[in-house]
Amino acid sequence: MRKPAHKSFYVRVVKRALDVAVGIAAMPVLGATIAVFGPAIWLEDHGPVFYNAPRMGKDWKPFTMYKFRSMKVNAPDLVMEDGSTYNGADDPRMTRVGAFMRRSSIDELPQFLNVLKGDMSVIGPRPDLERETELYEGDEGEKLLVRPGITGWAAVSGRNALQWHDRLKLDVEYVRNVSFAFDLKVFFLTFKTIFSQEGVYVEDGNAANAPALAAACNGAETIER
């Protein structure tokens, strides 16, 4: 019987070795980015530079995902009707520098530290909040059979412009077909997605309750996504 793709030698050994190599290579870029954006983030509202985001990782093990903080301190977690977190271009929770980092995906660069720690892979399904994993339907939990990624198949196939369960379907498709060729395809498509800024935010049709969510910002106190 053919071994599942997520248990292949490539995933267990080669993919991890490539992750470490890319993670080490990314450290100078991360250092330079911290030097530039760290002061800008702090100067805007004197809040922390980094946001430690709790996420669910491989085999349902929680971990802390690192990000540059792109939202105001104590910004509320605004939940969409499908259970996912609101992420719109008009999101009042974002700081000015945070809006730029979000559009350019610079806020995700600290996750290369997660890659080196072994929490994440360069390429894999984007990690969800624990409360979101409780809303998985059918085989959607299969996305947790591999390490979550900084970028992934869903991220280059529509990103936040897709409905959340459509993104989960693409995550499962990735897990079932992960290979070096698939990862290489996602890797190069990631640059196209970043430079075109495709799917950074939810589309109007996916955010029917956005006005109510934005209004909830006043006085609510939780954390950014």
Side-chain angles (χ1 to χ4, degrees), residues 12-160:
R12 291 184 293 106
V13 179
V14 178
K15 185 175 172 69
R16 179 58 189 155
L18 291 172
D19 281 339
V20 172
V22 173
I24 291 173
M27 287 301 101
V29 177
L30 176 58
T33 308
I34 293 173
V36 172
F37 285 93
I41 295 168
W42 184 83
L43 284 171
E44 182 160 349
D45 61 6
H46 290 192
V49 171
F50 298 101
Y51 171 59
N52 298 326
R55 291 292 185 271
M56 190 64 73
K58 182 177 182 292
D59 297 327
W60 299 82
K61 294 178 181 177
F63 73 100
T64 298
M65 184 179 76
Y66 306 127
K67 300 181 65 172
F68 284 121
R69 182 175 60 86
S70 61
M71 293 188 181
K72 299 171 184 176
V73 177
N74 293 327
D77 183 14
L78 304 184
V79 182
M80 300 288 288
E81 291 179 350
D82 63 2
S84 63
T85 298
Y86 178 64
N87 182 15
D90 60 346
D91 193 335
R93 300 173 298 167
M94 283 192 292
T95 62
R96 290 188 298 275
V97 67
F100 173 79
M101 292 191 299
R102 182 72 62 83
R103 288 195 304 272
S104 58
S105 299
I106 288 173
D107 60 323
E108 310 289 0
L109 286 178
Q111 287 156 45
F112 280 106
L113 294 172
N114 288 113
V115 170
L116 291 179
K117 286 178 60 182
D119 298 326
M120 297 179 67
S121 177
V122 174
I123 297 168
R126 288 295 295 162
D128 291 322
L129 292 160
E130 182 176 1
R131 66 159 179 79
E132 291 173 326
T133 65
E134 296 170 357
L135 301 175
Y136 287 169
E137 300 173 353
D139 56 10
E140 291 172 349
E142 286 186 31
K143 70 173 287 183
L144 297 178
L145 292 175
V146 298
R147 288 185 178 92
I150 298 176
T151 184
W153 184 226
V156 301
S157 301
R159 210 170 172 184
N160 292 310

